[in-house]
Amino acid sequence: MGAYYNAGGVVGAVCHGPVGLLTLKDADGNPVVQGKKVTCFTNAADDSIGLTAPDKLPFYLETRLKEQGAEFVVEPEGNLWGACVVVDGNLVTGQNPASATGTAEAVVKVLGGKKKQKKKKKKKKKRKTQ
Protein backbone atom coordinates (compact mmCIF):
# COMPACT_ATOMS: atom_id res chain seq x y z
CA MET A 1 0.00 0.00 0.00
CA GLY A 2 2.94 2.35 0.58
CA ALA A 3 4.02 2.17 -3.07
CA TYR A 4 0.43 2.83 -4.17
CA TYR A 5 0.14 5.84 -1.85
CA ASN A 6 3.54 7.20 -2.91
CA ALA A 7 2.50 6.90 -6.56
CA GLY A 8 -0.45 9.21 -5.85
CA GLY A 9 -3.04 6.53 -5.09
CA VAL A 10 -5.91 7.53 -2.83
CA VAL A 11 -5.96 5.82 0.57
CA GLY A 12 -8.96 5.97 2.88
CA ALA A 13 -9.61 4.59 6.36
CA VAL A 14 -12.34 4.94 8.99
CA CYS A 15 -12.58 4.44 12.76
CA HIS A 16 -9.71 2.14 13.82
CA GLY A 17 -8.78 1.52 10.16
CA PRO A 18 -6.04 4.16 10.17
CA VAL A 19 -3.97 1.65 12.18
CA GLY A 20 -3.01 0.42 8.70
CA LEU A 21 -1.28 3.75 8.06
CA LEU A 22 1.16 3.33 10.94
CA THR A 23 3.59 1.15 9.00
CA LEU A 24 3.44 3.14 5.75
CA LYS A 25 6.38 5.32 4.79
CA ASP A 26 6.60 8.11 2.25
CA ALA A 27 9.27 8.19 -0.47
CA ASP A 28 11.75 9.67 2.03
CA GLY A 29 11.14 6.95 4.63
CA ASN A 30 9.01 9.10 6.94
CA PRO A 31 5.59 8.03 8.27
CA VAL A 32 2.95 8.91 5.66
CA VAL A 33 0.91 10.65 8.35
CA GLN A 34 3.76 12.99 9.32
CA GLY A 35 2.55 16.55 8.77
CA LYS A 36 -0.83 15.32 7.49
CA LYS A 37 -4.26 16.10 8.92
CA VAL A 38 -5.90 12.84 9.97
CA THR A 39 -8.58 11.48 12.27
CA CYS A 40 -9.60 8.13 13.73
CA PHE A 41 -11.54 6.72 16.66
CA THR A 42 -10.37 8.97 19.47
CA ASN A 43 -8.78 7.99 22.76
CA ALA A 44 -11.81 9.45 24.53
CA ALA A 45 -14.20 7.34 22.42
CA ASP A 46 -12.18 4.20 23.17
CA ASP A 47 -12.29 5.02 26.89
CA SER A 48 -16.04 5.68 26.76
CA ILE A 49 -16.73 2.13 25.59
CA GLY A 50 -14.22 0.50 27.92
CA LEU A 51 -11.44 -0.04 25.37
CA THR A 52 -8.60 1.30 27.45
CA ALA A 53 -4.93 0.90 26.66
CA PRO A 54 -2.92 -1.10 27.45
CA ASP A 55 -5.32 -3.49 29.19
CA LYS A 56 -7.91 -3.80 26.38
CA LEU A 57 -5.98 -2.25 23.47
CA PRO A 58 -2.27 -2.56 22.73
CA PHE A 59 -2.16 1.24 22.24
CA TYR A 60 -4.36 4.23 21.55
CA LEU A 61 -4.47 4.90 17.82
CA GLU A 62 -4.94 8.67 18.22
CA THR A 63 -1.81 8.82 20.38
CA ARG A 64 0.24 6.71 17.95
CA LEU A 65 -0.76 8.89 14.97
CA LYS A 66 0.28 11.99 16.89
CA GLU A 67 3.58 10.34 17.82
CA GLN A 68 4.21 9.85 14.10
CA GLY A 69 3.73 13.56 13.49
CA ALA A 70 0.11 13.64 12.35
CA GLU A 71 -1.97 16.76 12.89
CA PHE A 72 -4.93 15.11 14.62
CA VAL A 73 -8.42 16.48 13.91
CA VAL A 74 -11.56 15.77 15.95
CA GLU A 75 -15.20 16.48 15.28
CA PRO A 76 -15.44 20.29 15.61
CA GLU A 77 -17.99 20.26 18.43
CA GLY A 78 -16.19 17.53 20.36
CA ASN A 79 -18.95 15.01 19.70
CA LEU A 80 -17.31 11.58 20.07
CA TRP A 81 -19.96 10.01 17.85
CA GLY A 82 -20.45 12.81 15.31
CA ALA A 83 -19.25 12.41 11.74
CA CYS A 84 -15.83 13.87 10.98
CA VAL A 85 -14.02 13.34 7.69
CA VAL A 86 -10.56 14.72 6.95
CA VAL A 87 -8.99 14.97 3.50
CA ASP A 88 -5.32 15.83 3.15
CA GLY A 89 -4.09 15.29 -0.39
CA ASN A 90 -4.60 11.66 -1.31
CA LEU A 91 -5.22 10.61 2.31
CA VAL A 92 -8.84 10.42 3.54
CA THR A 93 -9.74 9.47 7.11
CA GLY A 94 -12.96 9.22 9.12
CA GLN A 95 -13.30 9.48 12.90
CA ASN A 96 -15.87 6.79 13.65
CA PRO A 97 -18.63 4.61 12.12
CA ALA A 98 -20.82 7.71 11.64
CA SER A 99 -18.11 8.97 9.30
CA ALA A 100 -18.11 5.93 7.00
CA THR A 101 -20.43 7.31 4.31
CA GLY A 102 -18.74 10.70 4.28
CA THR A 103 -15.32 9.08 4.05
CA ALA A 104 -16.40 6.97 1.07
CA GLU A 105 -17.90 10.03 -0.62
CA ALA A 106 -14.68 11.97 -0.02
CA VAL A 107 -12.59 9.17 -1.55
CA VAL A 108 -14.83 9.20 -4.63
CA LYS A 109 -14.49 12.98 -4.87
CA VAL A 110 -10.68 12.83 -4.62
CA LEU A 111 -10.60 10.05 -7.22
CA GLY A 112 -12.84 12.16 -9.50
CA GLY A 113 -10.45 15.09 -9.16
CA LYS A 114 -7.51 12.88 -10.09
CA LYS A 115 -9.40 11.59 -13.13
CA LYS A 116 -10.03 15.17 -14.30
CA GLN A 117 -6.34 16.00 -13.85
CA LYS A 118 -5.36 13.02 -16.01
CA LYS A 119 -7.77 14.11 -18.75
CA LYS A 120 -6.30 17.62 -18.75
CA LYS A 121 -2.78 16.21 -19.06
CA LYS A 122 -3.83 14.04 -22.02
CA LYS A 123 -5.38 17.05 -23.79
CA LYS A 124 -2.20 19.08 -23.29
CA LYS A 125 -0.09 16.24 -24.73
CA LYS A 126 -2.34 16.01 -27.80
CA ARG A 127 -2.04 19.74 -28.42
CA LYS A 128 1.76 19.57 -28.19
CA THR A 129 1.99 16.68 -30.66
CA GLN A 130 -0.27 18.33 -33.26
Side-chain angles (χ1 to χ4, degrees):
M1 188 163 63
Y4 173 76
Y5 175 83
N6 287 322
V10 179
V11 174
V14 179
C15 199
H16 288 92
V19 74
L21 304 173
L22 295 175
T23 60
L24 298 184
K25 304 293 183 193
D26 66 16
D28 296 324
N30 299 310
V32 297
V33 297
Q34 184 175 324
K36 296 280 189 177
K37 291 181 181 177
V38 299
T39 194
C40 71
F41 208 67
T42 64
N43 295 352
D46 279 329
D47 287 344
S48 76
I49 59 172
L51 291 177
T52 55
D55 54 324
K56 301 281 183 175
L57 296 172
F59 56 85
Y60 285 116
L61 181 54
E62 174 187 343
T63 299
R64 192 63 58 91
L65 290 167
K66 289 176 180 178
E67 289 171 351
Q68 289 195 355
E71 184 180 327
F72 196 79
V73 178
V74 296
E75 197 276 333
E77 296 179 15
N79 181 351
L80 297 179
W81 309 106
C84 178
V85 177
V86 178
V87 178
D88 193 335
N90 57 331
L91 183 59
V92 182
T93 53
Q95 183 172 318
N96 51 38
S99 309
T101 299
T103 301
E105 291 169 346
V107 167
V108 170
K109 186 175 180 178
V110 173
L111 286 169
K114 288 190 170 291
K115 190 173 182 180
K116 288 177 186 175
Q117 289 174 349
K118 285 183 180 180
K119 284 183 180 181
K120 285 181 183 179
K121 285 181 182 179
K122 284 183 181 180
K123 285 182 182 180
K124 284 182 182 180
K125 280 186 178 181
K126 280 186 178 181
R127 287 184 198 152
K128 286 182 181 179
T129 58
Q130 291 177 348

